[in-house]
Amino acid sequence: MAGNTFGQLFRITSYGESHGDAIGVVIDGCPAGLKVRTEDIQRELNRRKPGQSDLTSPRNEEDECMVISGVYEGKTLGTPIHIMVRNGDAKRADYQYVESAFRPSHADFTYEKKYGHRDPGGGGRSSARETIARVAAGAIAKLLLAQEGILINAYVTQVGPVKMDKNILVKYDKIDENPVKCPDEDAAGKMIEFIREIKQKGDSIGGIIQCDIRNCPVGLGEPVFDKLHADLGKAMLSINAVKGFDYGTGFEGLEMTGSQANDVFVEQEGAIKTVRNHSGGIQGGISNGMPVYFRVAFKPVATIMSEQRSVNNKGETVVIPPKGRHDPCVLPRAAPIVEAMAALVLADHFLRHKTSKL
Amino acid sequence: MAGNTFGQLFRITSYGESHGDAIGVVIDGCPAGLKVRTEDIQRELNRRKPGQSDLTSPRNEEDECMVISGVYEGKTLGTPIHIMVRNGDAKRADYQYVESAFRPSHADFTYEKKYGHRDPGGGGRSSARETIARVAAGAIAKLLLAQEGILINAYVTQVGPVKMDKNILVKYDKIDENPVKCPDEDAAGKMIEFIREIKQKGDSIGGIIQCDIRNCPVGLGEPVFDKLHADLGKAMLSINAVKGFDYGTGFEGLEMTGSQANDVFVEQEGAIKTVRNHSGGIQGGISNGMPVYFRVAFKPVATIMSEQRSVNNKGETVVIPPKGRHDPCVLPRAAPIVEAMAALVLADHFLRHKTSKL
Amino acid sequence: MAGNTFGQLFRITSYGESHGDAIGVVIDGCPAGLKVRTEDIQRELNRRKPGQSDLTSPRNEEDECMVISGVYEGKTLGTPIHIMVRNGDAKRADYQYVESAFRPSHADFTYEKKYGHRDPGGGGRSSARETIARVAAGAIAKLLLAQEGILINAYVTQVGPVKMDKNILVKYDKIDENPVKCPDEDAAGKMIEFIREIKQKGDSIGGIIQCDIRNCPVGLGEPVFDKLHADLGKAMLSINAVKGFDYGTGFEGLEMTGSQANDVFVEQEGAIKTVRNHSGGIQGGISNGMPVYFRVAFKPVATIMSEQRSVNNKGETVVIPPKGRHDPCVLPRAAPIVEAMAALVLADHFLRHKTSKL
Amino acid sequence: MAGNTFGQLFRITSYGESHGDAIGVVIDGCPAGLKVRTEDIQRELNRRKPGQSDLTSPRNEEDECMVISGVYEGKTLGTPIHIMVRNGDAKRADYQYVESAFRPSHADFTYEKKYGHRDPGGGGRSSARETIARVAAGAIAKLLLAQEGILINAYVTQVGPVKMDKNILVKYDKIDENPVKCPDEDAAGKMIEFIREIKQKGDSIGGIIQCDIRNCPVGLGEPVFDKLHADLGKAMLSINAVKGFDYGTGFEGLEMTGSQANDVFVEQEGAIKTVRNHSGGIQGGISNGMPVYFRVAFKPVATIMSEQRSVNNKGETVVIPPKGRHDPCVLPRAAPIVEAMAALVLADHFLRHKTSKL
């Protein structure tokens, strides 16, 4: 049983190989009557595109989206919404050298073993180009959530050893203003510098993206398995290069005792809040009305601009030359992908919650 | 849409409130012909039971399982397997005081808001007692995996600030021999001491469990959404008190560059292996034949033996007295739960992979 | 992938072998706050029980239901509802003779081939006793639908060659008053007589059950695959011994032309109705507010009280002796099963429709 | 929760409005390594196309398919297969008159009520043009089944009052040779004549399609809900204009008693067969190795070439003029759709069965 569908009520199916004709997504379950303009989707795709700065891949991908079905006179019909992006800049020749070779830490080996053969062009289905489908669908989810006032913002908090100051007040509308998408200006400068060094060495680097969800209503999440943070975790871990997820105090609060970590409830202007928010806005798997926040760890991308030793499908030792046009650090481009996946989970749980009680 | 079913082909549905009549699970999709004895399930449940040592809750829960359906003459029928455990030691009176109060960092508040009312006894459905269903189902999954030689072991690597030595060689058959389930004897001693101190203070503490999967075949995992680690992550995050998940180098390897982190392939005795295993046995979301390993972060349990301030469902300030019989540190009892959830994911993906290619 | 779960949002999982410990069902997705009493479920189970008249099996099955979870202080919790019925009158010895033999038109042969082995007692999982799970779950669905005023009634319209008068006005509250559950008194008398003759001959007979759904709101049904009638059809065809389903004019209106069959819309007191109702209350797969009605064809049950020739699992010819205690005609007992399955489909689509539009 | 996905392991998602940019389908779960050529899909689409004879709509639809993803070097990749067909001959102007009017027995009224608004062009999503997605996906399913020798043929057995002789030997390779797709030449002649009369009157007519599945292996079908015939029934009932489904003796064998209807097993050359095949090749919901056969009842299409009275969305009485280019009888074009849906069900159950036993 294949795994290219995500979500239960707001459900997307992604398709497309990196160097095939197109990448696309079908959304089934978006309620009818939502106002959708093509530019709302394009704007999100543009935030993900390569070539936005010298920190990202110089590939020239137009990534122009077409809304093929499900929208009529500017409003969703309640029928499947198909969004397609043609693959323009595909250079199959660039990948002939890896037709039989297994690039280190890529999916070449596992795809070949699992499926018996594979499309080597740009990594085929395992390419991060597939995230176009997620960002396009996430743009629709964001429009749905915006009607409820729910806001989602992802930003870079760590690149390799460079970490942002945790005590800084995040100005969400400024995040996109610097090329590394870090709201701490000082740290941003150091990150940019660090990425440039890494790029010069032909190497790559990972880091952490944090995502904040504001105005999340109380009640989202479906225990005992589809807890809100469990679905967010799965969503994030399904993104290329992601190696870890935590929320609230996560891996960092393990030295706190229960008496320190527990979130005390108080009544504030008729609403029940917690004094602090170690829970990350989720208790028992259900949002409690406080801000939701979580962290996503990205490994350095596997493609580097140095020779690497490996084997091919005959078990022979081969040398992988430094080819292709890739990002030394994917985090700036990954922020909108994190937001998109979070939006898909939230939209799904927003709809799921509608039948929780009479 | 509720969320009490987990898995696609090896699919379980969990039911039961902590202080209701029973906790149980229905497994649909276990292949026919698997040898199953009630004692195979009971053994796993016993590993999870409270009262195993002075480190865990003194509650006396028999947790005796009954196999109600799906097994005939010692073999699975291919029909749904229902396993039920009666709730014996339920003391509803213990929870009258929280009928209207929202205990800090428990699910009382969110359940009441989501569903309109709730069963306060022992936390109702949000109780960790629900994990009985997971451990029982996981025991069947383990039997299925054992036929393929797949072995799953979870152990405690961190309790509060006490960490085990990473360089130690883990002896998997010794893990259950110490009460804290840590394979590093020195660290185990310190963890036990630390938990006793925490217990004496009426407080609680969290930590990290690592899980190793040996002999995992190549090919498990279903991109692009149901990647093996994404489903493992969701499984772990759905366990009570879990706040984080990572695999391979995870959150700890973020300072490595691509050239350092990449796993180089080599040919060894006809098989393709990687020299190191930063990938945690999974590449592109598919197992590559190397050992799979991941970490799970647990917060300190919310129930502590000290007075806590909170509010009730009228928004009035209340004081929660230190009542109930709970674990100062759940990690020793959580290890078999982690194993069970890992086994459920592996069994599901093992079956799913059967139709990947002609 | 096994098939013991039915429904999407109001989702049930059925378990249990005929002569195992129990038959039961877990409902996941019933909204919280619904008033449920055990007697509401028991009443429906009693309508399905054998031994209600001389027309049905003389087996003495108590079929007493227990609500194990999901209901607290008389109201659903929004958590899984587990209902269990112990198997009391199981006589395994009665079935020793068919341990290796394949009874004609039973599922013995196909279960053995599909699963490799089977539980021969009472037909194991293929027994119509499994429908207890459906009737119990359907009772909860009916309570949910009753809140919306939706009423479901099934009745027998044909037994073998005896057909009820189609022009009779059906009095729904009288259906259960005669043992054959046919609202046409004259036909009922003939049906009873006919079944007694069949019983005396040691034979069995089938027929047709019609089901009417009144006060079905406009808008239920999810094109293009989960059309309301498609899900009703699947639900009915999944019941033991069912061989056919049609709705509206169905198989009987095939000589009508479009101009005769088309349902003309008119405005009546502010609502849009159709003059006639050839569409059976469903257009384009979505309920249109007119009464929904459909027919279900049942074959004669395979167990008869005469010797039958067959083969065993070695391919040897055997003679099946006339044993067991069975119904000469299942239709009277099947009516509540048809209602239950219809209620499950309606409850599911009622919840599904809640997210169709903003 | 929307309903545009069909199948569990061989799973399709259909999208597209009649007069939108395109109709298409994404198949997720087709095993890797299956040889697929575009012409295999186009051939099936051509069998469904209008304009094949004077019996069908004169619309000129090219229905040229494009395989956008999932196939590389002529073989499936195990990744999603996207097939798209552009909508060429869309004449939106033809439908302006029904923008606000509800055509009798169309889905205009129910779509508007369910979703709040609708695309009136050609019926939007409710158009039978959507079946292009099914036929395209079914073509892939047929290729998969052909590898197992499974053959599926649908043919017309009744048009209005004209029925084919049941005792005729069906020559499957001749079915497509006459424009009405009836294997009984005499009946075919009368059907053609009858349809021409109906067409001349500006009216429409329905009928019955039978589908035969040969070489179906033993073991397909997943009790208790996903019985093979239950899933076939749902598949057929989801096709536009279908009002009924039966299999084996169905609605026609209701006068038979159990002793007459029961299928006696015999051993033949090492295999177990039944003497007759009243069961329609399915027992207990599982295929028994005998030919599977079922019948599908189609109502006359709602569009007719005569004036019809109706109401519009304001409840005002309107007159629907005889416009559009439609089929007087859809059955000839529906036969490949029935085959496609049957193939999708069989392919799905073929894959599902792979994990039934160890």
Side-chain angles (χ1 to χ4, degrees):
Chain A
M1 185 190 194
N4 296 285
T5 294
F6 185 80
Q8 302 295 322
L9 299 207
F10 194 99
R11 192 163 38 173
I12 71 166
T13 299
S14 156
Y15 69 82
E17 275 72 46
S18 174
H19 287 199
D21 285 346
I23 299 282
V25 68
V26 180
I27 306 167
D28 197 25
C30 182
L34 182 69
K35 284 184 188 162
V36 169
R37 296 170 308 173
T38 304
E39 58 255 44
D40 296 324
I41 306 163
Q42 193 61 54
R43 189 181 54 243
E44 292 295 323
L45 288 172
N46 291 348
R47 293 178 64 216
R48 182 210 157 275
K49 265 201 325 193
Q52 297 177 64
S53 78
D54 69 329
L55 301 183
T56 57
S57 164
R59 289 194 307 279
N60 179 20
E61 294 169 359
E62 280 304 325
D63 294 354
E64 192 181 318
C65 72
M66 293 174 279
V67 179
I68 304 288
S69 69
V71 178
Y72 180 68
E73 295 186 338
K75 282 191 301 183
T76 56
L77 283 164
T79 62
I81 302 167
H82 174 210
I83 307 169
M84 187 165 75
V85 172
R86 292 271 175 206
N87 291 326
D89 190 30
K91 298 191 177 169
R92 282 210 174 270
D94 277 5
Y95 290 89
Q96 279 179 339
Y97 72 100
V98 286
E99 260 185 41
S100 63
F102 302 134
R103 291 169 297 163
S105 284
H106 272 93
D108 302 337
F109 172 69
T110 52
Y111 268 64
E112 180 137 334
K113 289 297 170 188
K114 182 174 186 70
Y115 300 113
H117 76 135
R118 66 192 160 94
D119 175 355
R125 183 74 181 142
S126 73
S127 165
R129 196 162 162 74
E130 181 274 327
T131 56
I132 284 174
R134 302 166 184 234
V135 171
I140 308 278
K142 279 185 173 184
L143 294 174
L144 179 65
L145 297 171
Q147 295 224 337
E148 307 294 320
I150 303 170
L151 298 170
I152 299 173
N153 292 95
Y155 47 94
V156 176
T157 63
Q158 184 174 340
V159 169
V162 187
K163 298 179 190 182
M164 97 174 218
D165 180 355
K166 284 186 188 178
N167 299 314
I168 216 161
L169 181 77
V170 176
K171 293 182 185 160
Y172 295 105
D173 53 347
K174 305 279 184 191
I175 292 169
D176 276 7
E177 290 188 359
N178 73 56
V180 79
K181 287 181 183 149
C182 172
D184 170 352
E185 259 179 73
D186 279 0
K190 287 175 196 155
M191 288 172 181
I192 291 167
E193 201 176 339
F194 188 82
I195 296 172
R196 284 193 184 132
E197 278 170 34
I198 286 287
K199 188 182 171 186
Q200 211 158 13
K201 290 179 193 161
D203 215 332
S204 64
I205 192 69
I208 293 180
I209 287 177
Q210 172 152 337
C211 185
D212 296 353
I213 304 171
R214 290 170 291 157
N215 301 334
C216 182
V218 186
L220 307 195
E222 301 292 335
V224 294
F225 296 114
D226 299 349
K227 289 173 174 169
L228 187 57
H229 59 269
D231 277 354
L232 285 168
K234 171 166 175 170
M236 298 307 139
L237 288 157
S238 77
I239 299 172
N240 302 44
V242 171
K243 303 284 279 194
F245 168 90
D246 67 5
Y247 78 106
T249 47
F251 277 99
E252 298 203 314
L254 298 178
E255 302 199 6
M256 282 196 281
T257 64
S259 61
Q260 292 164 337
N262 277 357
D263 280 324
V264 173
F265 288 106
V266 289
E267 194 271 344
Q268 279 181 355
E269 299 163 19
I272 290 172
K273 305 277 181 190
T274 62
V275 176
R276 289 166 305 178
N277 185 12
H278 289 141
S279 301
I282 303 173
Q283 290 175 325
I286 299 168
S287 61
N288 68 358
M290 297 294 291
V292 172
Y293 63 95
F294 58 84
R295 299 188 311 154
V296 188
F298 287 79
K299 68 163 188 171
V301 282
T303 304
I304 54 176
M305 296 301 104
S306 318
E307 270 190 12
Q308 293 183 94
R309 190 168 51 89
S310 193
V311 299
N312 64 15
N313 59 15
K314 295 182 191 108
E316 301 161 345
T317 301
V318 294
V319 169
I320 311 286
K323 268 201 176 174
R325 294 157 297 164
H326 290 271
D327 301 80
C329 177
V330 291
L331 278 86
R333 288 180 54 209
I337 303 170
V338 165
E339 289 179 9
M341 291 308 294
L344 291 169
V345 171
L346 267 283
D348 193 32
H349 277 280
F350 173 72
L351 298 181
R352 291 178 72 168
H353 180 47
K354 286 199 178 295
T355 57
S356 293
K357 61 183 167 197
L358 286 184
Chain B
M1 185 189 193
N4 296 284
T5 293
F6 186 80
Q8 302 295 322
L9 298 207
F10 195 99
R11 189 164 40 172
I12 71 166
T13 300
S14 157
Y15 69 82
E17 275 71 46
S18 174
H19 286 199
D21 286 346
I23 298 283
V25 67
V26 180
I27 306 166
D28 198 25
C30 182
L34 182 70
K35 284 184 189 162
V36 169
R37 295 169 310 172
T38 304
E39 58 256 46
D40 297 324
I41 305 163
Q42 193 61 53
R43 190 180 54 245
E44 292 295 323
L45 288 172
N46 291 348
R47 294 177 65 216
R48 182 210 158 275
K49 263 201 327 192
Q52 296 177 65
S53 79
D54 69 329
L55 300 183
T56 56
S57 164
R59 289 193 308 279
N60 179 19
E61 295 169 358
E62 280 305 326
D63 293 353
E64 193 182 317
C65 71
M66 294 174 280
V67 179
I68 304 288
S69 70
V71 178
Y72 179 68
E73 297 186 336
K75 282 191 300 185
T76 55
L77 284 164
T79 62
I81 303 168
H82 174 209
I83 307 169
M84 187 164 74
V85 172
R86 291 273 176 206
N87 290 327
D89 190 30
K91 298 190 178 169
R92 281 210 174 268
D94 278 6
Y95 290 89
Q96 280 180 340
Y97 73 100
V98 286
E99 262 186 39
S100 64
F102 301 135
R103 290 170 297 165
S105 284
H106 272 93
D108 302 336
F109 171 69
T110 51
Y111 268 65
E112 181 138 332
K113 289 296 170 189
K114 182 174 186 69
Y115 300 114
H117 76 135
R118 66 193 160 92
D119 175 356
R125 182 73 181 143
S126 73
S127 166
R129 197 165 161 72
E130 181 274 328
T131 57
I132 284 175
R134 302 167 183 233
V135 172
I140 308 278
K142 278 185 174 184
L143 293 173
L144 180 64
L145 297 172
Q147 294 224 341
E148 308 294 319
I150 303 170
L151 298 169
I152 300 174
N153 292 95
Y155 47 94
V156 176
T157 62
Q158 183 174 340
V159 169
V162 188
K163 298 179 188 181
M164 100 174 215
D165 181 354
K166 284 184 188 179
N167 299 313
I168 216 161
L169 182 75
V170 176
K171 294 181 183 162
Y172 295 104
D173 54 347
K174 305 278 184 193
I175 291 169
D176 277 7
E177 289 187 359
N178 74 55
V180 78
K181 287 180 182 148
C182 172
D184 170 353
E185 260 179 73
D186 280 359
K190 287 175 196 157
M191 287 173 183
I192 291 167
E193 202 176 336
F194 188 82
I195 296 172
R196 283 190 186 133
E197 278 170 35
I198 286 286
K199 187 182 172 186
Q200 213 157 12
K201 290 179 191 161
D203 215 331
S204 64
I205 192 70
I208 292 179
I209 288 177
Q210 172 152 339
C211 185
D212 295 353
I213 304 170
R214 289 168 292 158
N215 300 335
C216 182
V218 186
L220 307 194
E222 301 292 336
V224 296
F225 297 114
D226 299 350
K227 289 173 174 170
L228 187 58
H229 59 268
D231 276 354
L232 285 168
K234 171 165 176 172
M236 298 307 140
L237 288 158
S238 77
I239 299 172
N240 302 46
V242 171
K243 304 282 279 192
F245 168 91
D246 67 4
Y247 79 107
T249 47
F251 277 99
E252 297 202 317
L254 298 179
E255 302 199 7
M256 282 197 283
T257 63
S259 61
Q260 292 163 337
N262 277 358
D263 280 324
V264 173
F265 288 107
V266 288
E267 195 272 343
Q268 280 182 356
E269 298 163 21
I272 291 171
K273 304 277 181 192
T274 63
V275 177
R276 289 165 305 176
N277 185 13
H278 290 140
S279 303
I282 303 172
Q283 291 174 325
I286 300 168
S287 61
N288 68 358
M290 297 296 291
V292 171
Y293 62 95
F294 58 84
R295 300 188 311 153
V296 188
F298 287 79
K299 68 163 189 172
V301 282
T303 304
I304 55 175
M305 295 301 103
S306 320
E307 270 191 10
Q308 293 183 94
R309 189 167 53 89
S310 193
V311 298
N312 65 16
N313 58 17
K314 294 182 191 107
E316 301 161 344
T317 301
V318 295
V319 169
I320 310 286
K323 269 200 175 174
R325 294 157 299 164
H326 290 271
D327 301 80
C329 177
V330 291
L331 277 84
R333 289 178 56 207
I337 303 169
V338 165
E339 289 179 10
M341 290 308 295
L344 290 169
V345 171
L346 267 283
D348 193 33
H349 277 280
F350 173 72
L351 298 181
R352 291 177 72 168
H353 179 48
K354 285 199 178 296
T355 56
S356 294
K357 62 182 164 197
L358 286 184
Chain C
M1 186 189 192
N4 296 284
T5 293
F6 185 81
Q8 302 296 322
L9 298 208
F10 195 99
R11 190 164 40 172
I12 70 167
T13 300
S14 157
Y15 69 83
E17 276 71 47
S18 174
H19 287 198
D21 285 345
I23 298 282
V25 68
V26 180
I27 306 167
D28 197 24
C30 182
L34 182 70
K35 285 184 187 163
V36 169
R37 296 170 309 174
T38 305
E39 58 255 43
D40 296 323
I41 305 163
Q42 193 61 53
R43 189 180 55 243
E44 292 295 323
L45 289 173
N46 291 347
R47 293 177 65 215
R48 181 211 159 274
K49 266 203 323 194
Q52 297 178 63
S53 79
D54 68 327
L55 301 183
T56 57
S57 163
R59 288 194 309 278
N60 179 20
E61 294 169 359
E62 280 305 325
D63 293 353
E64 194 182 314
C65 72
M66 293 173 281
V67 179
I68 304 288
S69 70
V71 178
Y72 179 69
E73 296 187 335
K75 281 191 301 184
T76 56
L77 283 163
T79 63
I81 302 167
H82 174 210
I83 307 168
M84 186 165 75
V85 172
R86 290 271 176 208
N87 291 326
D89 190 30
K91 297 190 178 171
R92 282 209 175 269
D94 278 7
Y95 290 88
Q96 280 180 339
Y97 73 101
V98 285
E99 261 186 40
S100 64
F102 300 135
R103 291 169 297 163
S105 285
H106 272 94
D108 302 336
F109 171 69
T110 51
Y111 268 64
E112 181 136 333
K113 290 296 171 189
K114 182 175 187 69
Y115 299 114
H117 77 135
R118 66 193 159 93
D119 175 356
R125 183 75 181 140
S126 73
S127 165
R129 197 164 162 72
E130 180 274 328
T131 57
I132 284 174
R134 302 166 184 236
V135 171
I140 308 277
K142 279 186 173 182
L143 293 173
L144 180 65
L145 297 172
Q147 294 223 340
E148 306 295 319
I150 303 170
L151 298 168
I152 300 174
N153 293 95
Y155 47 93
V156 176
T157 63
Q158 183 174 341
V159 170
V162 188
K163 298 179 188 181
M164 101 173 213
D165 180 354
K166 284 184 189 180
N167 299 314
I168 216 162
L169 181 77
V170 176
K171 293 179 184 163
Y172 294 105
D173 54 347
K174 304 279 184 191
I175 291 168
D176 275 8
E177 290 187 358
N178 74 56
V180 79
K181 288 181 183 147
C182 172
D184 169 352
E185 261 180 71
D186 279 1
K190 287 175 195 153
M191 287 173 182
I192 290 167
E193 203 177 335
F194 188 83
I195 296 172
R196 284 191 184 132
E197 277 171 36
I198 285 286
K199 187 183 173 185
Q200 212 158 12
K201 289 179 191 160
D203 215 332
S204 64
I205 192 70
I208 292 179
I209 287 177
Q210 173 153 337
C211 186
D212 296 353
I213 304 170
R214 290 170 291 158
N215 301 334
C216 182
V218 186
L220 307 194
E222 300 293 336
V224 295
F225 296 114
D226 300 350
K227 289 173 174 169
L228 186 58
H229 59 268
D231 276 354
L232 284 168
K234 171 166 175 170
M236 298 307 140
L237 288 157
S238 78
I239 299 172
N240 303 46
V242 171
K243 304 283 279 193
F245 168 91
D246 67 5
Y247 79 106
T249 48
F251 277 101
E252 297 201 316
L254 298 179
E255 303 198 6
M256 282 197 283
T257 63
S259 60
Q260 292 162 337
N262 277 357
D263 280 324
V264 173
F265 287 106
V266 288
E267 194 271 343
Q268 280 181 356
E269 298 163 18
I272 290 171
K273 303 279 180 189
T274 62
V275 176
R276 289 165 305 177
N277 185 11
H278 289 139
S279 302
I282 302 172
Q283 291 174 326
I286 300 168
S287 61
N288 68 357
M290 299 293 292
V292 171
Y293 61 95
F294 58 84
R295 300 187 312 153
V296 188
F298 287 79
K299 69 164 188 169
V301 282
T303 304
I304 55 176
M305 295 301 104
S306 318
E307 272 190 13
Q308 293 183 93
R309 189 166 53 87
S310 191
V311 299
N312 65 16
N313 58 17
K314 295 183 192 107
E316 301 161 344
T317 302
V318 295
V319 169
I320 311 286
K323 268 200 176 173
R325 295 157 299 165
H326 290 270
D327 300 80
C329 177
V330 291
L331 278 85
R333 288 178 57 208
I337 304 169
V338 165
E339 289 178 9
M341 292 307 295
L344 291 168
V345 171
L346 267 283
D348 193 33
H349 277 279
F350 174 72
L351 298 181
R352 292 177 72 168
H353 180 47
K354 284 198 180 296
T355 55
S356 293
K357 62 182 165 197
L358 287 183
Chain D
M1 186 189 192
N4 296 286
T5 293
F6 185 80
Q8 302 295 322
L9 298 207
F10 194 100
R11 191 164 39 172
I12 71 167
T13 299
S14 157
Y15 70 83
E17 277 70 48
S18 174
H19 287 199
D21 285 347
I23 298 282
V25 68
V26 179
I27 306 167
D28 197 25
C30 183
L34 182 69
K35 285 185 188 161
V36 169
R37 296 170 308 173
T38 304
E39 57 255 44
D40 296 323
I41 305 163
Q42 193 61 53
R43 190 181 53 244
E44 292 295 323
L45 288 173
N46 291 347
R47 293 178 65 217
R48 182 212 157 275
K49 264 202 326 193
Q52 297 177 63
S53 78
D54 67 330
L55 301 182
T56 56
S57 163
R59 288 193 308 279
N60 179 19
E61 295 170 358
E62 279 306 324
D63 293 355
E64 193 181 316
C65 72
M66 294 173 279
V67 179
I68 304 287
S69 70
V71 177
Y72 180 69
E73 296 186 338
K75 281 191 300 182
T76 56
L77 283 165
T79 62
I81 302 167
H82 174 210
I83 307 169
M84 187 165 74
V85 171
R86 291 270 175 208
N87 290 326
D89 191 30
K91 298 191 179 170
R92 281 208 175 268
D94 278 7
Y95 290 88
Q96 281 180 337
Y97 72 100
V98 287
E99 260 185 41
S100 64
F102 301 135
R103 290 168 298 163
S105 284
H106 272 93
D108 302 335
F109 172 69
T110 52
Y111 268 63
E112 180 138 334
K113 289 296 171 188
K114 182 175 187 69
Y115 299 113
H117 77 134
R118 65 191 160 92
D119 175 356
R125 183 74 182 141
S126 74
S127 165
R129 195 162 163 74
E130 180 274 328
T131 57
I132 284 174
R134 303 167 183 235
V135 171
I140 308 278
K142 279 185 173 182
L143 293 173
L144 180 64
L145 297 171
Q147 295 223 339
E148 306 294 320
I150 303 170
L151 298 169
I152 299 174
N153 292 95
Y155 47 93
V156 176
T157 63
Q158 184 175 338
V159 169
V162 188
K163 298 179 188 181
M164 98 173 218
D165 180 355
K166 284 185 189 180
N167 298 314
I168 216 163
L169 181 76
V170 176
K171 293 181 185 161
Y172 295 105
D173 54 347
K174 304 279 185 193
I175 291 168
D176 276 7
E177 290 188 358
N178 73 55
V180 79
K181 288 183 182 147
C182 172
D184 170 352
E185 258 180 73
D186 280 1
K190 287 176 195 154
M191 287 173 182
I192 291 168
E193 201 176 337
F194 188 83
I195 296 171
R196 283 190 184 134
E197 279 170 35
I198 286 287
K199 187 182 171 186
Q200 212 158 13
K201 289 178 192 162
D203 215 333
S204 64
I205 192 70
I208 293 179
I209 287 176
Q210 172 151 337
C211 184
D212 296 353
I213 304 170
R214 290 170 291 159
N215 301 334
C216 181
V218 187
L220 306 195
E222 300 293 335
V224 294
F225 296 114
D226 300 348
K227 290 174 173 169
L228 186 58
H229 59 268
D231 276 354
L232 285 168
K234 172 166 174 170
M236 298 307 140
L237 288 157
S238 77
I239 299 172
N240 302 44
V242 171
K243 304 283 280 193
F245 168 90
D246 67 4
Y247 78 106
T249 47
F251 277 100
E252 297 203 314
L254 298 178
E255 302 198 5
M256 283 196 282
T257 64
S259 62
Q260 292 163 338
N262 277 358
D263 279 324
V264 173
F265 288 106
V266 290
E267 195 272 342
Q268 279 181 356
E269 297 163 21
I272 290 172
K273 304 278 181 189
T274 62
V275 177
R276 289 166 305 178
N277 185 13
H278 289 140
S279 302
I282 303 173
Q283 290 174 325
I286 300 167
S287 60
N288 68 358
M290 299 293 291
V292 171
Y293 62 94
F294 58 84
R295 300 188 311 155
V296 188
F298 287 78
K299 68 163 190 172
V301 281
T303 304
I304 55 176
M305 296 300 105
S306 318
E307 270 190 12
Q308 292 183 93
R309 190 166 51 88
S310 192
V311 298
N312 65 15
N313 58 15
K314 295 182 191 109
E316 301 161 344
T317 301
V318 294
V319 169
I320 311 286
K323 269 201 176 172
R325 294 156 298 163
H326 290 270
D327 300 81
C329 178
V330 291
L331 278 84
R333 290 178 53 207
I337 303 170
V338 165
E339 290 179 8
M341 290 307 295
L344 290 169
V345 171
L346 267 282
D348 192 33
H349 277 280
F350 174 72
L351 297 181
R352 291 177 72 167
H353 180 48
K354 286 200 177 294
T355 56
S356 294
K357 62 183 167 197
L358 287 182

